[in-house]
């Protein structure tokens, strides 16, 4: 079955994805007499013939089961053989979108690698477009040809073994100057290939360089500017999972009644604070009056004590005077010395 086919029923020779879990995907070619085995059981290829895609298939010798799914570009990325590091859905979608790839486009890619991006580009440009992909390693280039043929997209994909940084992209009779709508570079030194990209790009074509290091991005951007490219920008692809939780919240709709209620509450609080302030002032005044009263009482008490002392002294003086007078009356020659204090 071709990756671009809309076939609904499994036939012999079709590429089928055996789905056990999202982390456990296997790609098989349906062949009579063969058996597919995994930890969930054994599944005979003969039992898959004539079954619709998306069907849940049970194992004959256990309680396990799998789903049989048609091959898509996304599933191919999930279950392909890794010959190099590959691009996944987030990067692929960003690249295809920004290069403005659509059916009928001519796209140039270097390097091919494991063919993950190549397969998605082929789906995007089908049925009338064409992808020219270049790979520096001959073994990887041949493996990519086999994969594209098995996936049924070899008619719109041409794989070439070449060092494009030295030779460039031109192919006699196939890829000429100013022919490509978009160029994609996934190279260690993309700045060495900017001039070659300019030769095959149409006026107004799009160029994308994919690099993991910012130093590579800087050098490639300078090379683009020197070769006349405009609207140069850098895009960072990040995947950020978001956790969604349910939480009950109060109704905070700012209706007129709610606003009036808040204003009344604020006014009452303000009046309450003012009342507290007045009560505090009154308490301070009472404390001051109490201090003044205590001071006056103390002064009165001291005056009374002083007056009492004076009266006592006067009484003692009078008594001494009387005694001395009696003494003089008895002894007229006696002398008296009176001291006062």
């Amino acid at each position: 079955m071709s990756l671009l086919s809309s076939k609904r029923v499994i036939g012999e020779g079709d590429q089928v994805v055996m789905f056990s879990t999202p982390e456990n995907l296997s790609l098989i070619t349906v062949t009579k007499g063969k058996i597919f085995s995994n930890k969930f059981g054994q599944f005979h290829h003969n039992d898959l013939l004539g079954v619709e895609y998306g069907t849940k298939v049970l194992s004959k010798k256990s309680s396990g089961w799998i789903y049989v799914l048609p091959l898509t570009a996304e599933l191919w990325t999930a279950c392909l053989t890794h010959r190099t590091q590959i691009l996944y859905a987030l990067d692929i979608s960003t690249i295809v979108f920004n290069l403005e790839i659509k059916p009928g486009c001519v796209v140039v890619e270097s390097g091919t690698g494991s063919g993950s991006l190549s397969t998605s580009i082929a789906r995007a440009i089908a049925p009338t477009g064409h992808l020219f992909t270049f790979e520096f390693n001959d073994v990887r280039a041949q493996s990519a040809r086999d994969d594209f043929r098995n996936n049924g997209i070899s008619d719109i994909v041409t794989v070439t073994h070449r060092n494009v940084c030295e030779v460039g992209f031109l192919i006699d009779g196939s890829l000429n100057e100013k022919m490509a709508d978009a160029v994609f570079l996934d190279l260690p030194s993309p700045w060495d290939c900017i001039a070659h990209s300019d030769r095959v790009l149409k006026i107004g074509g799009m160029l994308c360089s994919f690099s993991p290091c910012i130093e590579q991005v800087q050098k490639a951007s300078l090379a683009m500017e020197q070769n006349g490219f405009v609207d140069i920008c850098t895009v960072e692809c990040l995947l950020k999972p978001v956790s969604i939780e349910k939480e009950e919240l109060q109704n905070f709709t700012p209706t007129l009644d709610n606003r009036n209620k808040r204003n009344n509450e604020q006014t009452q609080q303000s009046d309450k604070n003012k009342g507290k302030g007045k009560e505090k002032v009154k308490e301070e005044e009472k404390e001051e009056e109490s201090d003044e009263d205590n001071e006056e009482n103390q002064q009165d008490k001291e005056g009374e004590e002083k007056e009492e002392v004076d009266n006592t002294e006067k009484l003692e003086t009078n008594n001494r005077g009387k005694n001395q007078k009696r003494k003089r009356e008895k002894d007229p020659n006696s002398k008296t010395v009176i001291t006062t204090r």
Side-chain angles (χ1 to χ4, degrees):
M1 174 188 171
S2 170
L3 184 141
L4 304 176
S5 174
S6 58
K7 188 177 178 180
R8 298 180 60 85
V9 178
I10 299 174
E12 188 174 6
D14 288 349
Q15 298 273 86
V16 177
V17 176
M18 311 293 276
F19 178 93
S20 302
T21 66
E23 295 77 26
N24 191 347
L25 302 175
S26 300
L27 180 66
I28 67 169
T29 301
V30 178
T31 307
K32 287 184 179 180
K34 286 191 174 183
I35 299 175
F36 171 75
S37 300
N38 64 8
K39 64 181 181 179
F40 298 101
Q42 293 183 344
F43 304 90
H44 294 258
H45 288 212
N46 291 349
D47 297 337
L48 303 180
L49 296 174
V51 175
E52 288 190 1
Y53 286 104
T55 301
K56 183 179 181 179
V57 179
L58 302 178
S59 173
K60 286 187 174 181
K61 295 186 178 181
S62 69
S63 59
W65 49 265
I66 59 171
Y67 284 101
V68 288
L69 304 178
L71 182 63
T72 64
E74 291 78 15
L75 290 176
W76 169 252
T77 296
C79 60
L80 58 78
T81 301
H82 287 221
R83 296 181 289 271
T84 59
Q85 291 183 346
I86 68 171
L87 301 183
Y88 291 93
L90 176 63
D91 299 321
I92 292 173
S93 58
T94 303
I95 292 166
V96 172
F97 174 78
N98 284 281
L99 286 179
E100 300 178 2
I101 297 175
K102 56 185 180 293
C105 284
V106 175
V107 181
V108 175
E109 176 196 21
S110 181
T112 309
S114 301
S116 175
L117 176 64
S118 306
T119 303
S120 293
I121 292 177
R123 181 183 61 179
I125 63 177
T128 56
H130 201 89
L131 170 65
F132 295 91
T133 181
F134 296 82
E135 174 56 48
F136 175 77
N137 184 281
D138 189 22
V139 176
R140 290 199 294 264
Q142 186 57 48
S143 298
R145 292 190 190 97
D146 296 338
D147 289 340
F148 297 150
R149 182 176 60 254
N150 294 333
N151 293 343
I153 57 175
S154 57
D155 293 341
I156 59 175
V157 179
T158 299
V159 182
T160 304
H161 169 233
R162 179 185 296 181
N163 184 354
V164 294
C165 293
E166 295 180 359
V167 183
F169 298 108
L170 298 180
I171 302 175
D172 294 337
S174 299
L175 183 58
N176 302 318
E177 293 186 4
K178 307 303 178 185
M179 181 178 174
D181 297 286
V183 174
F184 175 77
L185 304 177
D186 187 2
L187 303 170
S189 55
W191 49 89
D192 292 333
C193 205
I194 301 300
H196 297 304
S197 302
D198 185 39
R199 290 188 64 185
V200 297
L201 271 174
K202 294 178 180 179
I203 301 299
M206 307 292 289
L207 170 63
C208 174
S209 174
F210 187 87
S211 299
C213 300
I214 192 62
E215 292 81 8
Q216 292 173 302
V217 174
Q218 290 174 331
K219 294 188 69 173
S221 298
L222 290 174
M224 291 178 192
E225 187 176 5
Q226 293 169 359
N227 283 271
F229 286 89
V230 295
D231 296 333
I232 301 171
C233 67
T234 301
V235 178
E236 184 177 16
C237 301
L238 296 175
L239 182 62
K240 183 179 180 180
V242 178
S243 177
I244 301 176
E245 298 178 356
K246 185 177 180 181
E247 184 177 353
E248 296 293 336
L249 298 176
Q250 297 179 0
N251 183 13
F252 291 103
T253 305
T255 60
L256 182 60
D257 294 338
N258 290 341
R259 287 199 297 267
N260 292 337
K261 184 177 179 181
R262 285 199 302 272
N263 292 336
N264 292 335
E265 291 176 352
Q266 292 175 356
T267 303
Q268 293 175 1
Q269 184 66 29
S270 178
D271 294 341
K272 189 175 181 181
N273 293 336
K274 290 180 180 179
K276 290 182 179 179
K278 291 180 179 179
E279 291 176 358
K280 188 174 181 180
V281 172
K282 290 181 179 179
E283 290 178 356
E284 292 177 352
E285 291 178 352
K286 289 181 178 180
E287 290 178 357
E288 292 178 356
E289 292 177 356
S290 177
D291 293 340
E292 292 177 356
D293 293 340
N294 292 336
E295 186 176 353
E296 291 177 357
N297 293 334
Q298 184 67 23
Q299 291 177 354
D300 294 341
K301 187 176 181 180
E302 292 176 354
E304 292 175 355
E305 292 177 351
K306 185 177 181 181
E307 184 177 354
E308 184 177 353
V309 171
D310 293 341
N311 293 334
T312 302
E313 292 177 349
K314 289 180 180 179
L315 181 59
E316 291 177 352
T317 302
N318 293 334
N319 291 333
R320 283 196 299 269
K322 290 179 179 179
N323 293 331
Q324 290 172 358
K325 186 176 180 182
R326 292 192 192 100
K327 189 176 182 180
R328 281 198 304 269
E329 290 175 352
K330 294 180 180 180
D331 186 4
N333 296 322
S334 64
K335 293 181 180 181
T336 302
V337 178
I338 302 174
T339 58
T340 62
R341 47 176 185 169

